């Protein structure tokens, strides 16, 4: 059931731990939310990354979620704030990289070596992004928790309501897939 009432019912089911309702809400609102994100930041990848983080956060905190009257509006606001935080983080990283580059003596590097480095970095980023797209939502979530948030397997298992062994195996499979996708690098 779509619409405000349907979304509110799905939200309540998510609060009680219904994984099917979580995926139903995700599927029903995905396109609208990604499009909103793209209009907000002008970047498809950033928009989808932010949306995935929003939904991962909702699932992690489902038991402590408040009742929401307008779920779509709530998610739009949550997504916008997440995008702004990601843009701020990206800006900090870019600033740090600019300072680092300023400190390095790029003028002594031969031009052809400089071009090769830049092209290689862009190619690696592109291949990594493509490889990440081959993973399932859960695998992406676990990679984010392990490598970006720095959580232990025990904490990941607690957050995702999996056993430690399942979390480890899921992450192992994700890394195996990434290694296979990136084997030429």
């Amino acid at each position: 059931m779509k619409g405000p009432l349907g979304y509110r019912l799905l939200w309540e089911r998510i609060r009680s731990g219904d994984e099917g309702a979580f995926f139903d809400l995700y599927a029903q609102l995905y396109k609208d939310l990604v499009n909103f994100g793209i209009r907000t930041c002008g970047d498809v990848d950033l928009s989808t990354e932010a949306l995935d983080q929003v939904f991962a956060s909702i699932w992690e905190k489902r038991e402590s979620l408040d009742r929401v009257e307008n779920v779509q509006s709530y998610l739009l606001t949550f997504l916008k704030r997440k995008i702004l935080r990601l843009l701020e983080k990206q800006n900090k990283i870019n600033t740090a990289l600019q300072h680092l580059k300023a400190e390095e003596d790029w003028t002594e590097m031969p031009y052809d070596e400089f071009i090769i480095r830049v092209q290689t970095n862009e190619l690696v980023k592109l291949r990594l992004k493509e490889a990440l797209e081959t993973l399932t939502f859960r695998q992406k979530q676990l990679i984010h928790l392990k490598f970006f948030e720095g959580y232990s397997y025990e904490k990941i298992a607690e957050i995702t309501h999996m056993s430690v062994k399942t979390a480890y195996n899921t992450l192992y499979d994700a890394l195996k897939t990434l290694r296979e996708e990136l084997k030429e690098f």
Side-chain angles (χ1 to χ4, degrees):
M1 174 193 263
K2 286 191 173 191
L5 179 61
Y7 301 148
R8 203 166 54 225
L9 291 172
L10 288 173
W11 185 264
E12 290 304 313
R13 288 175 42 206
I14 291 168
R15 290 178 64 210
S16 65
D18 185 338
E19 192 172 328
F22 172 79
F23 287 110
D24 286 346
L25 184 66
Y26 182 83
Q28 288 180 26
L29 290 174
Y30 179 83
K31 186 176 179 180
D32 291 338
L33 291 171
V34 167
N35 286 335
F36 171 79
I38 293 168
R39 288 191 309 274
T40 301
C41 68
D43 185 335
V44 174
D45 295 329
L46 182 67
S47 177
T48 55
E49 178 184 348
L51 184 59
D52 285 346
Q53 288 183 18
V54 163
F55 272 91
S57 179
I58 287 170
W59 185 250
E60 290 167 14
K61 298 174 182 173
R62 65 188 172 277
E63 293 171 353
S64 62
L65 291 174
D66 291 328
R67 186 169 258 139
V68 173
E69 288 301 314
N70 189 334
V71 174
Q72 191 168 12
S73 177
Y74 174 86
L75 290 173
L76 290 170
T77 302
F78 193 170
L79 178 60
K80 183 178 179 180
R81 289 180 180 158
K82 179 60 79 176
I83 287 171
L84 292 175
R85 280 194 299 276
L86 288 174
L87 285 171
E88 185 177 303
K89 181 179 177 183
Q90 192 175 51
N91 188 35
K92 287 179 183 177
I93 291 170
N94 289 340
T95 301
L97 287 174
Q98 286 173 351
H99 289 301
L100 180 63
K101 286 179 184 177
E103 291 174 9
E104 292 180 10
D105 192 6
W106 287 92
T107 57
E108 291 183 17
M109 183 184 296
Y111 180 73
D112 55 341
E113 187 179 333
F114 173 78
I115 294 298
I116 289 170
R117 275 192 187 181
V118 170
Q119 288 175 341
T120 302
N121 287 342
E122 289 302 314
L123 184 59
V124 169
K125 281 194 267 185
L126 177 65
R127 284 295 297 134
L128 181 57
K129 192 176 284 189
E130 289 172 353
L132 285 169
E133 290 302 314
T134 65
L135 301 178
T136 65
F137 172 78
R138 179 64 91 182
Q139 288 173 326
K140 287 181 200 175
Q141 179 189 25
L142 293 184
I143 283 179
H144 176 78
L145 292 171
K146 179 69 176 164
F147 298 106
F148 294 97
E149 300 293 330
Y151 291 134
S152 66
Y153 287 106
E154 291 78 14
K155 183 68 175 173
I156 292 170
E158 179 185 326
I159 290 170
T160 60
H161 301 285
M162 303 173 124
S163 70
V164 173
K165 184 176 181 176
T166 302
Y168 177 84
N169 288 339
T170 303
L171 196 54
Y172 175 82
D173 290 342
L175 293 173
K176 184 176 170 186
T177 300
L178 289 176
R179 265 194 300 277
E180 186 64 31
E181 290 288 323
L182 298 169
K183 66 183 170 190
E184 70 250 12
F185 289 97

